[in-house]
C-alpha cells in the first residue's frame, strides 16, 4: 500500500505529476483502485485540484494507456519482413503483458485510440515489403493483432485450463466426465504441458505464414 505523499505546494502540481502518481496507483494497487480521489490522496492534494490538469478519470486512463503504448515501439535491427513482423508482435505481447490493466482500458475506449501508431506502421510496412498488396496487408495486420490481444485476454484462463487438464490424470470424477470425449482425453497430457510462450509463437507464425503464402501464389 502506498503511503500518502507529503502535501505538494499547489504550484508544483501539474499534469505530469498527476499521471505519474496515477501510474503508481495502477501498478501497485490495481486499476480498480484508480480514482481521482485516490490519486489526490497520494499527492496530498484536493481532488478538485487535479481537474485543472486532467479533465476526467477517462482522460486519465487514456493518458496512462498512452504512456505504456510508447513501449510498443518495435525493436530495430536488419531483419527479413517476416522476422520484422514476428519480432514486433512478440515485443508488443511482452510489453502489454507487463501491464495487464492496459488491454481492457484500450478496449473500453470508444472509439479505440490511435496513439503512437509505431507498431501498426512497422507491421504494415513489413507486410507490404513481403509482397502483400495494401488490402491483404491490412487484413493480415488486423488478424495478427486480434490474435495477440486474444492471447493476452485469455492468459489467466489458459493457466486455469492447464491446471484442470493436469488434474484429470488423478481425478476419477474428471475421467468419468471426459469419457464421451476420447480425443480430448488422449490430448490432455499435451494440453497440460503447453508452454504459453511457445504456443503463442507457433500460432503467430502459422497465421503469418498463411498470409505470406497467399502473396507468393498471387
Amino acid at each position: 500500500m502506498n503511503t500518502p505523499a507529503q502535501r505538494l505546494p499547489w504550484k508544483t502540481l501539474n499534469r505530469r505529476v498527476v499521471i505519474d502518481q496515477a501510474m503508481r496507483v495502477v501498478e501497485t494497487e490495481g486499476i480498480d483502485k484508480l480514482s481521482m480521489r485516490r490519486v489526490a490522496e497520494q499527492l496530498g492534494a484536493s481532488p478538485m485540484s487535479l481537474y485543472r490538469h486532467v479533465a476526467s478519470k477517462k482522460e486519465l486512463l487514456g493518458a496512462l494507456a498512452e504512456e505504456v503504448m510508447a513501449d510498443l515501439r518495435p525493436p530495430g535491427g536488419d531483419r527479413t519482413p517476416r522476422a520484422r513482423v514476428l519480432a514486433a508482435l512478440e515485443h508488443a505481447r511482452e510489453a502489454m503483458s507487463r501491464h495487464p490493466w492496459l488491454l481492457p482500458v484500450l478496449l473500453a475506449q470508444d472509439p479505440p485510440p490511435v496513439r503512437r501508431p509505431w507498431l501498426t506502421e512497422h507491421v504494415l510496412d513489413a507486410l507490404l515489403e513481403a509482397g502483400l498488396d495494401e488490402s491483404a496487408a491490412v487484413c493480415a495486420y488486423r488478424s495478427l493483432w486480434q490474435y495477440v490481444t486474444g492471447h493476452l485476454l485469455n492468459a489467466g484462463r489458459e493457466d486455469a485450463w492447464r491446471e484442470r487438464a493436469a488434474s484429470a490424470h488423478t481425478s476419477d470424477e474428471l475421467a468419468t466426465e471426459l469419457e464421451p470425449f476420447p480425443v480430448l482425453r488422449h490430448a490432455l497430457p499435451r494440453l497440460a504441458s503447453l508452454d504459453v510462450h511457445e504456443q503463442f509463437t507457433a500460432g503467430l507464425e502459422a497465421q503469418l505464414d498463411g498470409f505470406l503464402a497467399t502473396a507468393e501464389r498471387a
Side-chain angles (χ1 to χ4, degrees):
M1 180 69 69
N2 286 353
T3 56
Q6 191 174 28
R7 183 171 293 276
L8 292 172
W10 70 270
K11 289 185 179 180
T12 66
L13 190 63
N14 55 49
R15 183 178 175 86
R16 180 74 265 162
V17 169
V18 173
I19 291 172
D20 287 346
Q21 184 58 55
M23 184 69 78
R24 282 191 285 272
V25 170
V26 168
E27 296 289 356
T28 59
E29 302 179 26
I31 193 70
D32 292 340
K33 297 295 184 182
L34 180 67
S35 66
M36 301 296 272
R37 181 175 297 279
R38 180 61 179 150
V39 175
E41 179 182 281
Q42 291 296 297
L43 290 173
S46 69
M48 290 306 298
S49 65
L50 271 57
Y51 289 99
R52 299 191 186 100
H53 310 286
V54 181
S56 64
K57 180 180 175 180
K58 181 178 180 180
E59 182 182 320
L60 183 56
L61 285 169
L64 295 180
E66 186 167 354
E67 291 285 305
V68 181
M69 293 293 282
D71 289 339
L72 268 62
R73 185 189 288 270
D78 186 16
R79 297 181 172 95
T80 65
R82 178 182 184 275
R84 285 169 57 199
V85 173
L86 291 175
L89 293 175
E90 287 269 12
H91 175 73
R93 183 193 69 84
E94 292 172 3
M96 294 179 74
S97 66
R98 292 194 293 270
H99 307 279
W101 56 267
L102 174 63
L103 189 54
V105 167
L106 292 176
L107 294 176
Q109 293 185 319
D110 186 27
V114 182
R115 297 188 180 100
R116 303 182 185 269
W118 297 312
L119 179 69
T120 307
E121 173 76 9
H122 184 90
V123 173
L124 284 176
D125 181 64
L127 291 169
L128 291 169
E129 186 180 338
L132 276 68
D133 61 32
E134 188 175 77
S135 178
V138 169
C139 180
Y141 169 74
R142 291 284 294 169
S143 296
L144 293 168
W145 180 242
Q146 286 166 0
Y147 174 75
V148 173
T149 56
H151 176 86
L152 289 166
L153 286 172
N154 285 286
R157 296 174 185 173
E158 288 289 336
D159 291 338
W161 167 249
R162 283 195 303 276
E163 290 177 7
R164 181 170 171 79
S167 69
H169 300 296
T170 58
S171 170
D172 293 336
E173 181 181 349
L174 276 177
T176 301
E177 181 182 333
L178 293 174
E179 189 65 34
F181 309 102
V183 176
L184 174 58
R185 191 172 68 250
H186 188 269
L188 278 176
R190 190 172 298 277
L191 287 168
S193 63
L194 274 178
D195 179 275
V196 175
H197 179 73
E198 291 177 0
Q199 174 194 0
F200 172 80
T201 301
L204 184 64
E205 289 180 343
Q207 284 201 52
L208 176 58
D209 289 342
F211 284 113
L212 296 180
T214 62
E216 292 175 359
R217 292 195 297 268

